[in-house]
Amino acid sequence: RSGPTPGGCILALNEREAQSFYIFGTADITATDCSIEVASTADCAMHAHGNPSISRIDGDGTSGIHVAGTYCEQGPVDIDPPPTQGYGGDIDDPYRNTDPCAQGLNCSAPCDYTDASFNGSATAPAGVYCGGITWTGNGTATFGGDYIIRDGSLDIGGNVVIDGSAGVGFYLTGSGSFVNLRGTSDITLVAQDNGSALDGFVFFEDEKNPQESHTLVMGRLQ
């Protein structure tokens, strides 16, 4: 992909927000050959709560968790290596001039699906989902391609396994377009590399209408 290719696989770029990166519960993040960057200079800019685990952050020149402010934790947290607090390096937004809508994604396309609801195992076709996507029950939610989530949330609960291993990108726009992954099962989401305007991104939020928060509660994120 042309353009910036930062080493950070998780970037929390708000410069003032407390708990800009908040990980809790039994979440398990495995990050390989990339870092985690938290630009906020606030107290508890990164906060780990419960017994989450972050491991295998390695690679040439990209090691570690860098926090411009301070790091706080509660409970039996397992983070290796520990975050570097008061990080003085550059943590800039490499995507400040990136706009998928100007790069080929048809963000104003009409709705393909409205208030979509799935239960159990199924494949959600790529397209424009007005009112969002709700997924309940037990099974596997399979995604592949470009998804525009407009005026609604991507809300997946229960014990749903999320499979986006074929390559997936979600563009979030409009009112209430947030991510709420509430299950405790495995999540596999792989960014595309096939010429899509969302190449390199799993989630891209409309910068003109950002949501206050997104929630990922899971057993394992790959």
Side-chain angles (χ1 to χ4, degrees):
R1 176 183 175 85
S2 61
T5 54
C9 52
I10 297 178
L11 304 173
L13 297 171
N14 188 296
E15 296 179 351
R16 296 174 296 277
E17 188 76 16
Q19 299 184 5
S20 178
F21 178 43
Y22 179 41
I23 178 172
F24 65 97
T26 58
D28 180 6
I29 298 176
T30 300
T32 304
D33 293 333
C34 62
S35 61
I36 293 175
E37 308 285 343
V38 182
S40 174
T41 58
D43 290 337
C44 295
M46 176 178 174
H47 188 187
H49 183 198
N51 58 345
S53 173
I54 302 178
S55 60
R56 287 183 59 202
I57 301 174
D58 49 34
D60 185 15
T62 62
S63 299
I65 302 174
H66 304 140
V67 184
T70 63
Y71 163 70
C72 301
E73 68 179 29
Q74 296 172 263
V77 176
D78 180 15
I79 295 180
D80 181 27
T84 298
Q85 303 182 67
Y87 181 67
D90 292 331
I91 305 177
D92 295 324
D93 184 354
Y95 307 115
R96 63 172 62 87
N97 297 318
T98 300
D99 181 1
C101 302
Q103 296 168 350
L105 187 67
N106 189 359
C107 298
S108 60
C111 305
D112 294 311
Y113 309 95
T114 301
D115 297 330
S117 179
F118 297 87
N119 182 273
S121 293
T123 297
V128 181
Y129 285 79
C130 296
I133 297 174
T134 300
W135 213 301
T136 57
N138 299 289
T140 299
T142 302
F143 296 96
D146 292 340
Y147 296 80
I148 297 176
I149 309 296
R150 181 186 299 153
D151 296 324
S153 63
L154 177 63
D155 188 347
I156 302 179
N159 290 308
V160 179
V161 174
I162 301 176
D163 182 5
S165 58
V168 61
F170 295 95
Y171 183 80
L172 309 167
T173 185
S175 176
S177 295
F178 56 87
V179 177
N180 188 21
L181 306 185
R182 298 178 287 109
T184 56
S185 293
D186 290 349
I187 300 175
T188 302
L189 296 171
V190 177
Q192 300 174 92
D193 186 18
N194 57 12
S196 165
L198 289 172
D199 275 5
F201 300 100
V202 172
F203 297 107
F204 197 105
E205 183 177 66
D206 183 354
E207 294 180 341
K208 301 181 186 66
N209 187 29
Q211 304 302 304
E212 182 175 345
S213 63
H214 302 277
T215 303
L216 283 75
V217 183
M218 78 292 284
R220 183 175 63 180
L221 173 64
Q222 296 180 310

